Each structure stands twice: as C-alpha cells, then as structure tokens.
Amino acid sequence: MGQVRRWRHPPVYRPLVDLSTMEERHVIVTYRLDRATIQELCAQLEPDLMSAIRHPTGIPPLVQVLSVLHFLASASFQTTVAIVSGMSQPMFSNVLSIVLSALLKHMRSYIVFPQVEDLPTVKVDFYALGHIPNIIGAIDGTHGALVPPHRSEQVYRNRMSYHSMNVQMVCLADQYISHVNAKFPGSVPFLQEDGPEGGLVAAVEPVDSEEDEAEEEDIDNGNKVIQQYFQ
C-alpha cells in the first residue's frame, strides 16, 4: 500500500496587536506616533507592503507597520518585538526589511531642506523661539549602535569605544526634520568645518561605495541654499 499523503494547512496569522483597543497615551508611548498618524502612514505604505507579501495569509499592513515602529521606538531585539507582534523572528526580519524599504521610498516627500525663498519664514520662526536672528536650522548628531562588519571594524568604533553609525540631522523651528546624513561610521567626528557637506565630512569615505544620485542631488541643493544665504 502506498503512503497516505497528508495535506498541510497553510499557517494563518492571528494578530496580537489591536490598535483600536489601545488608549491614545499608550499608543504614543509604544510607537512614538499618535493613532491618526499611524493610520495615515499605513494607508500610504499599504500598496508597497501588499505587493511584497508572498503568501495569501500574510501579515496585515497595519501589523507590519506597528511591529516596525515598536522596534524602532524601543530599540529592542527582533525576537522580543516579534513575540509581542505574534510572529517569528525570521518573519519579523523580513517585515522589517519590507517596511523600511517602503519608508525610504517616501522619505523625500517629507525630509526637504528649505529653498532660498523659504528662508525668511524659517528665520522668523526660529527668532520667535529664542530671539536669535538668522537661524535656518538646528543641527545635532547621535550614534546608532550596531554590530560592525569584520573587514572594517575599527572604522565603526566611536570615541566612546563602541561601534556605531554617525547620524547628523537638521530640523526646523516646528521640529520637522529638513536634512539627514547617516552615511558615515562612528569614527567620523560630528562637526568639521571643512568639507562639501558642512557637517559630517569624509575623514573616511562614506560606508556606501555607490552614491545614491537622488540623495546627492538633495545634498547639493541644500549646499546651494546655504551658500547663497551666506554670500
């Protein structure tokens, strides 16, 4: 007699996260965004997330976004966030990659350096905060810890003796981010006076060997605005 073939039922994902049952305060503490912003973000990312799902019982876009926001907001481990979200760590790893790619796709719709004609308004907004004239941005940096690649471990070691990526941001008076530079490893100082980007400067080459043309264009536009302002 031949062997009886057993049909395996496809796994069905049962969400453990329900945004509608959470208090608004709890939503903000957990995800660093309010409920309305999360729903708007999900609506914008849903086409990208749905096209990336390979299984008919895939994870709903809302759960994908919530799990990644929780991961980013808590700086926790993938396994911990995966358990809370009701998925395995390998599954969450795939979700993380998909959602981050979707976020990067829409990043330039939100992170935009002011044009020359917008600078008077920017200066007025900053003056209203601290009564300091001619401010067009607030700049600061931070280190994002990571596990470095073996081939260039020393390049990622920062002055506090742990491995990181060096991230520099500029924001406006209303706290909207207008520029981000996250291309340099932790050994690069935050601020140097000389260099094409007026901030994190190539004491070493950027981590990515292939420059993103759109990003370079944004940097060039920002530099032109600053140069015209100080002429």
Side-chain angles (χ1 to χ4, degrees):
M1 295 180 61
Q3 294 183 349
V4 178
R5 184 175 181 180
R6 295 184 178 181
W7 294 95
R8 296 182 59 186
H9 295 283
V12 177
Y13 175 76
R14 294 180 174 84
L16 299 181
V17 180
D18 188 356
L19 193 64
S20 62
T21 62
M22 299 175 64
E23 296 181 359
E24 185 69 16
R25 180 181 61 84
H26 189 200
V27 171
I28 295 175
V29 170
T30 305
Y31 304 111
R32 300 295 192 269
L33 296 174
D34 58 53
R35 193 189 316 271
T37 303
I38 292 175
Q39 292 172 342
E40 180 182 349
L41 181 63
C42 286
Q44 187 171 27
L45 300 183
E46 184 171 1
D48 300 303
L49 302 183
M50 292 298 294
S51 63
I53 293 177
R54 302 183 181 88
H55 199 280
T57 57
I59 303 171
L62 176 60
V63 178
Q64 294 186 52
V65 172
L66 289 178
S67 61
V68 172
L69 289 178
H70 186 193
F71 176 74
L72 297 175
S74 63
S76 184
F77 294 98
Q78 289 191 21
T79 302
T80 304
V81 175
I83 293 174
V84 173
S85 303
M87 63 184 83
S88 65
Q89 184 276 324
M91 183 183 294
F92 175 73
S93 180
N94 291 332
V95 168
L96 180 62
S97 177
I98 291 171
V99 174
L100 290 180
S101 296
L103 287 171
L104 289 174
K105 181 178 178 180
H106 297 276
M107 179 184 68
R108 301 186 194 286
S109 300
Y110 298 95
I111 302 179
V112 181
F113 198 84
Q115 299 299 312
V116 174
E117 57 269 20
D118 299 324
L119 293 182
T121 302
V122 173
K123 291 188 289 184
V124 169
D125 293 340
F126 271 108
Y127 187 82
L129 288 179
H131 299 287
I132 302 176
N134 298 326
I135 303 297
I136 61 173
I139 186 171
D140 201 357
T142 187
H143 287 276
L146 52 72
V147 177
H150 294 292
R151 59 182 176 83
S152 53
E153 176 272 337
Q154 73 284 355
V155 176
Y156 291 85
R157 186 178 297 277
N158 59 37
R159 59 184 176 83
M160 293 169 283
S161 298
Y162 68 88
H163 302 98
S164 66
M165 286 295 293
N166 213 334
V167 182
Q168 176 183 282
M169 292 189 183
V170 180
C171 76
L172 304 178
D174 54 8
Q175 299 183 9
Y176 276 84
I177 297 173
S178 59
H179 188 269
V180 176
N181 187 334
K183 298 191 300 180
F184 292 88
S187 62
V188 180
F190 277 129
L191 296 175
Q192 296 183 5
E193 295 181 357
D194 300 325
E197 297 185 19
L200 287 174
V201 184
V204 295
E205 290 298 319
V207 175
D208 294 329
S209 58
E210 297 182 0
E211 296 292 339
D212 183 82
E213 294 182 1
E215 182 176 354
E216 292 302 318
E217 183 178 354
D218 286 348
I219 292 173
D220 291 340
N221 291 337
N223 290 337
K224 290 177 182 177
V225 171
I226 295 174
Q227 291 169 3
Q228 293 179 34
Y229 172 73
F230 285 107
Q231 284 179 350

